[in-house]
PDB file of all heavy atoms in Angstrom:
ATOM      1  N   PHE A  80     108.570  79.821   4.098  1.00  0.00           N
ATOM      2  CA  PHE A  80     107.344  80.574   3.833  1.00  0.00           C
ATOM      3  C   PHE A  80     106.222  79.557   3.639  1.00  0.00           C
ATOM      4  O   PHE A  80     106.402  78.555   2.948  1.00  0.00           O
ATOM      5  CB  PHE A  80     107.506  81.416   2.567  1.00  0.00           C
ATOM      6  CG  PHE A  80     106.263  82.135   2.108  1.00  0.00           C
ATOM      7  CD1 PHE A  80     106.025  83.445   2.509  1.00  0.00           C
ATOM      8  CD2 PHE A  80     105.345  81.519   1.267  1.00  0.00           C
ATOM      9  CE1 PHE A  80     104.882  84.115   2.085  1.00  0.00           C
ATOM     10  CE2 PHE A  80     104.201  82.175   0.840  1.00  0.00           C
ATOM     11  CZ  PHE A  80     103.970  83.485   1.254  1.00  0.00           C
ATOM     12  N   VAL A  81     105.054  79.796   4.248  1.00  0.00           N
ATOM     13  CA  VAL A  81     103.932  78.872   4.063  1.00  0.00           C
ATOM     14  C   VAL A  81     102.754  79.599   3.420  1.00  0.00           C
ATOM     15  O   VAL A  81     102.591  80.815   3.564  1.00  0.00           O
ATOM     16  CB  VAL A  81     103.488  78.232   5.394  1.00  0.00           C
ATOM     17  CG1 VAL A  81     104.601  77.393   5.989  1.00  0.00           C
ATOM     18  CG2 VAL A  81     103.006  79.287   6.380  1.00  0.00           C
ATOM     19  N   GLY A  82     101.940  78.827   2.706  1.00  0.00           N
ATOM     20  CA  GLY A  82     100.776  79.397   2.043  1.00  0.00           C
ATOM     21  C   GLY A  82      99.690  78.357   1.869  1.00  0.00           C
ATOM     22  O   GLY A  82      99.840  77.192   2.250  1.00  0.00           O
ATOM     23  N   VAL A  83      98.588  78.788   1.277  1.00  0.00           N
ATOM     24  CA  VAL A  83      97.406  77.944   1.118  1.00  0.00           C
ATOM     25  C   VAL A  83      97.590  77.057  -0.114  1.00  0.00           C
ATOM     26  O   VAL A  83      97.090  77.351  -1.199  1.00  0.00           O
ATOM     27  CB  VAL A  83      96.135  78.804   1.021  1.00  0.00           C
ATOM     28  CG1 VAL A  83      94.897  77.920   0.990  1.00  0.00           C
ATOM     29  CG2 VAL A  83      96.060  79.779   2.188  1.00  0.00           C
ATOM     30  N   GLY A  84      98.338  75.989   0.068  1.00  0.00           N
ATOM     31  CA  GLY A  84      98.693  75.119  -1.039  1.00  0.00           C
ATOM     32  C   GLY A  84      99.878  75.690  -1.797  1.00  0.00           C
ATOM     33  O   GLY A  84     100.177  76.891  -1.724  1.00  0.00           O
ATOM     34  N   SER A  85     100.569  74.840  -2.546  1.00  0.00           N
ATOM     35  CA  SER A  85     101.717  75.342  -3.303  1.00  0.00           C
ATOM     36  C   SER A  85     101.292  76.300  -4.404  1.00  0.00           C
ATOM     37  O   SER A  85     102.088  77.136  -4.836  1.00  0.00           O
ATOM     38  CB  SER A  85     102.542  74.182  -3.877  1.00  0.00           C
ATOM     39  OG  SER A  85     101.763  73.381  -4.737  1.00  0.00           O
ATOM     40  N   ASP A  86     100.022  76.239  -4.843  1.00  0.00           N
ATOM     41  CA  ASP A  86      99.553  77.215  -5.829  1.00  0.00           C
ATOM     42  C   ASP A  86      99.622  78.631  -5.273  1.00  0.00           C
ATOM     43  O   ASP A  86     100.058  79.563  -5.947  1.00  0.00           O
ATOM     44  CB  ASP A  86      98.116  76.897  -6.256  1.00  0.00           C
ATOM     45  CG  ASP A  86      98.015  75.668  -7.133  1.00  0.00           C
ATOM     46  OD1 ASP A  86      99.055  75.248  -7.675  1.00  0.00           O
ATOM     47  OD2 ASP A  86      96.905  75.132  -7.273  1.00  0.00           O
ATOM     48  N   ASP A  87      99.194  78.796  -4.036  1.00  0.00           N
ATOM     49  CA  ASP A  87      99.258  80.101  -3.388  1.00  0.00           C
ATOM     50  C   ASP A  87     100.710  80.556  -3.230  1.00  0.00           C
ATOM     51  O   ASP A  87     101.057  81.719  -3.493  1.00  0.00           O
ATOM     52  CB  ASP A  87      98.579  80.015  -2.017  1.00  0.00           C
ATOM     53  CG  ASP A  87      98.633  81.312  -1.230  1.00  0.00           C
ATOM     54  OD1 ASP A  87      98.293  82.370  -1.794  1.00  0.00           O
ATOM     55  OD2 ASP A  87      99.005  81.275  -0.043  1.00  0.00           O
ATOM     56  N   VAL A  88     101.570  79.629  -2.825  1.00  0.00           N
ATOM     57  CA  VAL A  88     102.991  79.953  -2.647  1.00  0.00           C
ATOM     58  C   VAL A  88     103.624  80.350  -3.979  1.00  0.00           C
ATOM     59  O   VAL A  88     104.359  81.348  -4.064  1.00  0.00           O
ATOM     60  CB  VAL A  88     103.735  78.748  -2.030  1.00  0.00           C
ATOM     61  CG1 VAL A  88     105.240  79.003  -1.978  1.00  0.00           C
ATOM     62  CG2 VAL A  88     103.198  78.448  -0.635  1.00  0.00           C
ATOM     63  N   LEU A  89     103.336  79.589  -5.030  1.00  0.00           N
ATOM     64  CA  LEU A  89     103.899  79.902  -6.348  1.00  0.00           C
ATOM     65  C   LEU A  89     103.368  81.233  -6.878  1.00  0.00           C
ATOM     66  O   LEU A  89     104.114  82.017  -7.475  1.00  0.00           O
ATOM     67  CB  LEU A  89     103.591  78.769  -7.322  1.00  0.00           C
ATOM     68  CG  LEU A  89     104.385  77.480  -7.092  1.00  0.00           C
ATOM     69  CD1 LEU A  89     103.749  76.311  -7.840  1.00  0.00           C
ATOM     70  CD2 LEU A  89     105.835  77.652  -7.522  1.00  0.00           C
ATOM     71  N   ALA A  90     102.091  81.498  -6.671  1.00  0.00           N
ATOM     72  CA  ALA A  90     101.533  82.788  -7.110  1.00  0.00           C
ATOM     73  C   ALA A  90     102.241  83.938  -6.410  1.00  0.00           C
ATOM     74  O   ALA A  90     102.558  84.965  -7.037  1.00  0.00           O
ATOM     75  CB  ALA A  90     100.031  82.826  -6.840  1.00  0.00           C
ATOM     76  N   MET A  91     102.493  83.798  -5.100  1.00  0.00           N
ATOM     77  CA  MET A  91     103.222  84.833  -4.366  1.00  0.00           C
ATOM     78  C   MET A  91     104.647  84.975  -4.900  1.00  0.00           C
ATOM     79  O   MET A  91     105.182  86.083  -4.989  1.00  0.00           O
ATOM     80  CB  MET A  91     103.269  84.485  -2.875  1.00  0.00           C
ATOM     81  CG  MET A  91     101.959  84.651  -2.143  1.00  0.00           C
ATOM     82  SD  MET A  91     101.408  86.361  -2.077  1.00  0.00           S
ATOM     83  CE  MET A  91      99.697  86.152  -2.534  1.00  0.00           C
ATOM     84  N   TYR A 110     103.385  72.237 -15.645  1.00  0.00           N
ATOM     85  CA  TYR A 110     102.214  72.602 -14.859  1.00  0.00           C
ATOM     86  C   TYR A 110     101.517  73.780 -15.536  1.00  0.00           C
ATOM     87  O   TYR A 110     102.115  74.850 -15.719  1.00  0.00           O
ATOM     88  CB  TYR A 110     102.639  72.960 -13.447  1.00  0.00           C
ATOM     89  CG  TYR A 110     101.501  73.214 -12.484  1.00  0.00           C
ATOM     90  CD1 TYR A 110     100.292  72.546 -12.601  1.00  0.00           C
ATOM     91  CD2 TYR A 110     101.653  74.119 -11.449  1.00  0.00           C
ATOM     92  CE1 TYR A 110      99.261  72.775 -11.704  1.00  0.00           C
ATOM     93  CE2 TYR A 110     100.640  74.349 -10.544  1.00  0.00           C
ATOM     94  CZ  TYR A 110      99.441  73.683 -10.681  1.00  0.00           C
ATOM     95  OH  TYR A 110      98.421  73.921  -9.786  1.00  0.00           O
ATOM     96  N   TRP A 116      99.353  82.332 -14.457  1.00  0.00           N
ATOM     97  CA  TRP A 116      99.860  83.383 -13.567  1.00  0.00           C
ATOM     98  C   TRP A 116     100.600  84.464 -14.349  1.00  0.00           C
ATOM     99  O   TRP A 116     100.454  85.659 -14.064  1.00  0.00           O
ATOM    100  CB  TRP A 116     100.786  82.787 -12.512  1.00  0.00           C
ATOM    101  CG  TRP A 116     100.084  82.032 -11.441  1.00  0.00           C
ATOM    102  CD1 TRP A 116      98.935  82.385 -10.790  1.00  0.00           C
ATOM    103  CD2 TRP A 116     100.477  80.779 -10.871  1.00  0.00           C
ATOM    104  NE1 TRP A 116      98.591  81.439  -9.864  1.00  0.00           N
ATOM    105  CE2 TRP A 116      99.519  80.440  -9.885  1.00  0.00           C
ATOM    106  CE3 TRP A 116     101.543  79.915 -11.099  1.00  0.00           C
ATOM    107  CZ2 TRP A 116      99.603  79.276  -9.130  1.00  0.00           C
ATOM    108  CZ3 TRP A 116     101.630  78.764 -10.349  1.00  0.00           C
ATOM    109  CH2 TRP A 116     100.677  78.442  -9.376  1.00  0.00           C
ATOM    110  N   VAL A 204     109.930  74.939  -3.748  1.00  0.00           N
ATOM    111  CA  VAL A 204     108.517  74.929  -3.344  1.00  0.00           C
ATOM    112  C   VAL A 204     108.038  73.481  -3.235  1.00  0.00           C
ATOM    113  O   VAL A 204     108.254  72.680  -4.145  1.00  0.00           O
ATOM    114  CB  VAL A 204     107.646  75.706  -4.346  1.00  0.00           C
ATOM    115  CG1 VAL A 204     106.176  75.626  -3.946  1.00  0.00           C
ATOM    116  CG2 VAL A 204     108.093  77.163  -4.436  1.00  0.00           C
ATOM    117  N   GLN A 205     107.403  73.158  -2.110  1.00  0.00           N
ATOM    118  CA  GLN A 205     106.850  71.821  -1.895  1.00  0.00           C
ATOM    119  C   GLN A 205     105.418  71.937  -1.366  1.00  0.00           C
ATOM    120  O   GLN A 205     104.908  73.031  -1.142  1.00  0.00           O
ATOM    121  CB  GLN A 205     107.735  71.013  -0.948  1.00  0.00           C
ATOM    122  CG  GLN A 205     109.113  70.706  -1.509  1.00  0.00           C
ATOM    123  CD  GLN A 205     109.906  69.726  -0.656  1.00  0.00           C
ATOM    124  OE1 GLN A 205     109.394  69.113   0.288  1.00  0.00           O
ATOM    125  NE2 GLN A 205     111.180  69.561  -0.986  1.00  0.00           N
ATOM    126  N   THR A 206     104.785  70.776  -1.161  1.00  0.00           N
ATOM    127  CA  THR A 206     103.374  70.762  -0.777  1.00  0.00           C
ATOM    128  C   THR A 206     103.061  69.590   0.141  1.00  0.00           C
ATOM    129  O   THR A 206     103.748  68.561   0.104  1.00  0.00           O
ATOM    130  CB  THR A 206     102.482  70.685  -2.031  1.00  0.00           C
ATOM    131  OG1 THR A 206     101.111  70.613  -1.642  1.00  0.00           O
ATOM    132  CG2 THR A 206     102.812  69.463  -2.880  1.00  0.00           C
ATOM    133  N   PHE A 207     102.008  69.730   0.940  1.00  0.00           N
ATOM    134  CA  PHE A 207     101.490  68.638   1.764  1.00  0.00           C
ATOM    135  C   PHE A 207     100.430  67.836   1.010  1.00  0.00           C
ATOM    136  O   PHE A 207      99.935  66.829   1.509  1.00  0.00           O
ATOM    137  CB  PHE A 207     100.841  69.198   3.039  1.00  0.00           C
ATOM    138  CG  PHE A 207     101.796  69.574   4.135  1.00  0.00           C
ATOM    139  CD1 PHE A 207     102.976  70.239   3.862  1.00  0.00           C
ATOM    140  CD2 PHE A 207     101.497  69.281   5.450  1.00  0.00           C
ATOM    141  CE1 PHE A 207     103.844  70.608   4.880  1.00  0.00           C
ATOM    142  CE2 PHE A 207     102.357  69.642   6.482  1.00  0.00           C
ATOM    143  CZ  PHE A 207     103.535  70.306   6.194  1.00  0.00           C
ATOM    144  N   SER A 208     100.060  68.264  -0.184  1.00  0.00           N
ATOM    145  CA  SER A 208      98.909  67.682  -0.885  1.00  0.00           C
ATOM    146  C   SER A 208      99.152  66.266  -1.382  1.00  0.00           C
ATOM    147  O   SER A 208      98.214  65.471  -1.449  1.00  0.00           O
ATOM    148  CB  SER A 208      98.521  68.560  -2.074  1.00  0.00           C
ATOM    149  OG  SER A 208      98.076  69.821  -1.643  1.00  0.00           O
ATOM    150  N   LEU A 213      97.265  65.471   2.386  1.00  0.00           N
ATOM    151  CA  LEU A 213      96.483  66.582   2.921  1.00  0.00           C
ATOM    152  C   LEU A 213      96.070  67.581   1.839  1.00  0.00           C
ATOM    153  O   LEU A 213      96.071  68.795   2.070  1.00  0.00           O
ATOM    154  CB  LEU A 213      97.281  67.304   4.024  1.00  0.00           C
ATOM    155  CG  LEU A 213      97.427  66.554   5.343  1.00  0.00           C
ATOM    156  CD1 LEU A 213      98.310  67.332   6.312  1.00  0.00           C
ATOM    157  CD2 LEU A 213      96.061  66.290   5.981  1.00  0.00           C
ATOM    158  N   ALA A 214      95.684  67.075   0.680  1.00  0.00           N
ATOM    159  CA  ALA A 214      95.246  67.984  -0.386  1.00  0.00           C
ATOM    160  C   ALA A 214      94.067  68.836   0.067  1.00  0.00           C
ATOM    161  O   ALA A 214      93.926  69.996  -0.327  1.00  0.00           O
ATOM    162  CB  ALA A 214      94.882  67.183  -1.640  1.00  0.00           C
ATOM    163  N   LEU A 216      93.478  70.148   2.953  1.00  0.00           N
ATOM    164  CA  LEU A 216      93.823  71.225   3.890  1.00  0.00           C
ATOM    165  C   LEU A 216      94.491  72.411   3.209  1.00  0.00           C
ATOM    166  O   LEU A 216      94.483  73.514   3.747  1.00  0.00           O
ATOM    167  CB  LEU A 216      94.753  70.714   4.992  1.00  0.00           C
ATOM    168  CG  LEU A 216      94.110  70.074   6.216  1.00  0.00           C
ATOM    169  CD1 LEU A 216      95.160  69.835   7.298  1.00  0.00           C
ATOM    170  CD2 LEU A 216      92.976  70.927   6.777  1.00  0.00           C
ATOM    171  N   ARG A 217      95.125  72.191   2.050  1.00  0.00           N
ATOM    172  CA  ARG A 217      95.803  73.239   1.294  1.00  0.00           C
ATOM    173  C   ARG A 217      96.981  73.818   2.083  1.00  0.00           C
ATOM    174  O   ARG A 217      96.887  74.886   2.686  1.00  0.00           O
ATOM    175  CB  ARG A 217      94.831  74.374   0.892  1.00  0.00           C
ATOM    176  CG  ARG A 217      93.509  73.939   0.289  1.00  0.00           C
ATOM    177  CD  ARG A 217      93.672  73.015  -0.919  1.00  0.00           C
ATOM    178  NE  ARG A 217      94.446  73.632  -1.980  1.00  0.00           N
ATOM    179  CZ  ARG A 217      95.523  73.076  -2.529  1.00  0.00           C
ATOM    180  NH1 ARG A 217      95.974  71.916  -2.120  1.00  0.00           N
ATOM    181  NH2 ARG A 217      96.160  73.694  -3.485  1.00  0.00           N
ATOM    182  N   ILE A 218      98.091  73.122   2.063  1.00  0.00           N
ATOM    183  CA  ILE A 218      99.327  73.601   2.690  1.00  0.00           C
ATOM    184  C   ILE A 218     100.457  73.492   1.676  1.00  0.00           C
ATOM    185  O   ILE A 218     100.766  72.405   1.193  1.00  0.00           O
ATOM    186  CB  ILE A 218      99.708  72.798   3.948  1.00  0.00           C
ATOM    187  CG1 ILE A 218      98.589  72.845   4.999  1.00  0.00           C
ATOM    188  CG2 ILE A 218     100.999  73.338   4.549  1.00  0.00           C
ATOM    189  CD1 ILE A 218      98.850  71.957   6.213  1.00  0.00           C
ATOM    190  N   GLY A 219     101.074  74.599   1.382  1.00  0.00           N
ATOM    191  CA  GLY A 219     102.268  74.623   0.557  1.00  0.00           C
ATOM    192  C   GLY A 219     103.336  75.432   1.261  1.00  0.00           C
ATOM    193  O   GLY A 219     103.045  76.203   2.186  1.00  0.00           O
ATOM    194  N   TYR A 220     104.587  75.261   0.850  1.00  0.00           N
ATOM    195  CA  TYR A 220     105.651  76.016   1.507  1.00  0.00           C
ATOM    196  C   TYR A 220     106.827  76.215   0.565  1.00  0.00           C
ATOM    197  O   TYR A 220     107.034  75.441  -0.374  1.00  0.00           O
ATOM    198  CB  TYR A 220     106.106  75.336   2.800  1.00  0.00           C
ATOM    199  CG  TYR A 220     106.515  73.886   2.679  1.00  0.00           C
ATOM    200  CD1 TYR A 220     107.846  73.500   2.739  1.00  0.00           C
ATOM    201  CD2 TYR A 220     105.554  72.879   2.536  1.00  0.00           C
ATOM    202  CE1 TYR A 220     108.227  72.173   2.652  1.00  0.00           C
ATOM    203  CE2 TYR A 220     105.918  71.544   2.450  1.00  0.00           C
ATOM    204  CZ  TYR A 220     107.261  71.204   2.505  1.00  0.00           C
ATOM    205  OH  TYR A 220     107.631  69.881   2.421  1.00  0.00           O
ATOM    206  N   ALA A 221     107.556  77.292   0.806  1.00  0.00           N
ATOM    207  CA  ALA A 221     108.767  77.600   0.051  1.00  0.00           C
ATOM    208  C   ALA A 221     109.934  77.640   1.007  1.00  0.00           C
ATOM    209  O   ALA A 221     109.793  78.020   2.180  1.00  0.00           O
ATOM    210  CB  ALA A 221     108.628  78.932  -0.669  1.00  0.00           C
ATOM    211  N   THR A 242      96.131  84.249   5.627  1.00  0.00           N
ATOM    212  CA  THR A 242      95.832  83.301   4.560  1.00  0.00           C
ATOM    213  C   THR A 242      95.642  81.872   5.057  1.00  0.00           C
ATOM    214  O   THR A 242      94.991  81.073   4.406  1.00  0.00           O
ATOM    215  CB  THR A 242      96.954  83.295   3.509  1.00  0.00           C
ATOM    216  OG1 THR A 242      98.194  83.002   4.169  1.00  0.00           O
ATOM    217  CG2 THR A 242      97.061  84.618   2.802  1.00  0.00           C
ATOM    218  N   MET A 243      96.193  81.524   6.184  1.00  0.00           N
ATOM    219  CA  MET A 243      96.120  80.139   6.663  1.00  0.00           C
ATOM    220  C   MET A 243      95.354  80.082   7.976  1.00  0.00           C
ATOM    221  O   MET A 243      95.683  80.788   8.925  1.00  0.00           O
ATOM    222  CB  MET A 243      97.523  79.561   6.836  1.00  0.00           C
ATOM    223  CG  MET A 243      97.526  78.092   7.218  1.00  0.00           C
ATOM    224  SD  MET A 243      99.168  77.352   7.057  1.00  0.00           S
ATOM    225  CE  MET A 243      99.281  77.197   5.275  1.00  0.00           C
ATOM    226  N   THR A 247      94.165  74.421   9.959  1.00  0.00           N
ATOM    227  CA  THR A 247      95.183  73.942   9.023  1.00  0.00           C
ATOM    228  C   THR A 247      96.578  73.974   9.641  1.00  0.00           C
ATOM    229  O   THR A 247      97.369  73.040   9.475  1.00  0.00           O
ATOM    230  CB  THR A 247      95.152  74.788   7.740  1.00  0.00           C
ATOM    231  OG1 THR A 247      93.878  74.623   7.104  1.00  0.00           O
ATOM    232  CG2 THR A 247      96.251  74.374   6.777  1.00  0.00           C
TER     233      THR A 247
END
Side-chain angles (χ1 to χ4, degrees):
F80 174 93
V81 297
V83 185
S85 60
D86 288 343
D87 178 49
V88 174
L89 288 164
M91 287 295 134
Y110 186 32
W116 286 317
V204 177
Q205 295 189 9
T206 177
F207 280 42
S208 295
L213 288 176
L216 274 189
R217 313 305 302 126
I218 302 174
Y220 54 106
T242 56
M243 185 167 285
T247 297

